[in-house]
Amino acid sequence: MKFRFSILLAGVLLTLTPIKTWGQSITSLNQQLQQSVSSQNWSQAIQIIDQMIQAAPEQAASLRQYRSQLQGLQQPSQTISTLGTPTAAKAGVVGQIPIKRRSGGVPVVDVTFNGRQPFEMLVDSGASFTVITRPMAKALGITGAHIVDTVRVSTANGTTNFPIVYVSSISVGGLKSTQVPVAIANPDMQVGLLGQDFLQKYDVLIRARQIEFSQRQ
């Protein structure tokens, strides 16, 4: 069983072609994107994404998905006052969760594993897989015996292998997925990443203070 993973960019995972295959133009745009995300200049980041789509059309689907996230951050939330109301009050919304804080512009929320243990995690629908930290794996009782595969990952610090294990369940905002494959990060990663293995069933809207999940048609 082989897994394709993503590239770590300023705390954000994007499913893009490995850097060594990019031309000078797309590499320069990537650097500009990292700077814009780090400074939370969403409008500029969206403009750069549009240029990247033209420069790398084979990555258009992933880039457009990330662009929609940036738009959610750019637009002021019109539903902040409804945080305490039932999700059923909003047509199409099947789950929602408050954003605790942001790290490098990426939302951080509480994610519950195996029905009992909550952890703070970054939410990025551009990430291919969920990644947990070493302390998370220890708290969940994961050992080497649980490893089912490894995945080759390109990060800001180079290329390395992450072990793949399965967790019984992941729950966010009242939504739950079972038997989810997750990667275990290197010791230097401090916060886990919630990726497409959980998010792929939903349309995800990131607002100023909460994230809304709608069932994908």
Side-chain angles (χ1 to χ4, degrees):
M1 178 169 48
K2 299 298 181 183
F3 293 86
R4 175 182 174 86
F5 212 69
S6 306
I7 298 169
L8 184 63
L9 305 177
V12 180
L13 282 174
L14 292 178
T15 307
L16 299 175
T17 304
I19 293 174
K20 64 182 180 181
T21 67
W22 292 353
Q24 183 176 1
S25 174
I26 194 68
T27 301
S28 175
L29 289 171
N30 173 47
Q31 293 171 347
Q32 295 176 44
L33 176 62
Q34 293 185 52
Q35 294 173 358
S36 299
V37 170
S38 296
S39 61
Q40 299 187 25
N41 188 337
W42 312 127
S43 178
Q44 184 180 68
I46 289 171
Q47 293 177 10
I48 295 170
I49 287 288
D50 289 339
Q51 296 177 55
M52 292 178 76
I53 290 173
Q54 294 181 2
E58 69 278 6
Q59 298 298 326
S62 297
L63 289 167
R64 289 194 182 98
Q65 189 172 49
Y66 187 51
R67 188 184 192 280
S68 68
Q69 285 188 288
L70 294 174
Q71 286 180 308
L73 293 170
Q74 180 189 36
Q75 298 172 357
S77 175
Q78 301 299 316
T79 59
I80 293 175
S81 62
T82 66
L83 276 172
T85 62
T87 58
K90 296 183 180 182
V93 175
V94 295
Q96 60 185 16
I97 190 168
I99 296 172
K100 298 183 68 174
R101 57 187 175 86
R102 281 185 166 85
S103 176
V106 184
V108 177
V109 302
D110 280 330
V111 179
T112 301
F113 284 75
N114 299 342
R116 64 182 188 278
Q117 292 180 281
F119 300 95
E120 285 191 347
M121 298 190 74
L122 295 160
V123 177
D124 187 351
S125 62
S128 299
F129 293 95
T130 292
V131 183
I132 64 175
T133 64
R134 295 291 179 87
M136 289 172 64
K138 183 177 180 180
L140 292 168
I142 294 171
T143 68
H146 295 96
I147 296 174
V148 298
D149 204 349
T150 60
V151 62
R152 195 74 172 167
V153 182
S154 297
T155 73
N157 297 320
T159 303
T160 186
N161 288 323
F162 282 3
I164 297 291
V165 300
Y166 276 85
V167 295
S168 297
S169 66
I170 294 177
S171 301
V172 182
L175 305 173
K176 181 178 180 180
S177 288
T178 58
Q179 291 301 307
V180 183
V182 301
I184 302 176
N186 289 336
D188 56 348
M189 182 173 284
Q190 303 298 313
V191 183
L193 299 158
L194 184 68
Q196 278 292 347
D197 36 24
F198 179 85
L199 301 172
Q200 63 187 346
K201 295 184 294 185
Y202 309 101
D203 288 324
V204 181
L205 177 60
I206 300 176
R207 296 190 179 274
R209 298 185 184 179
Q210 68 180 9
I211 298 177
E212 295 178 356
F213 302 89
S214 298
Q215 199 68 51
R216 186 165 292 172
Q217 301 298 322

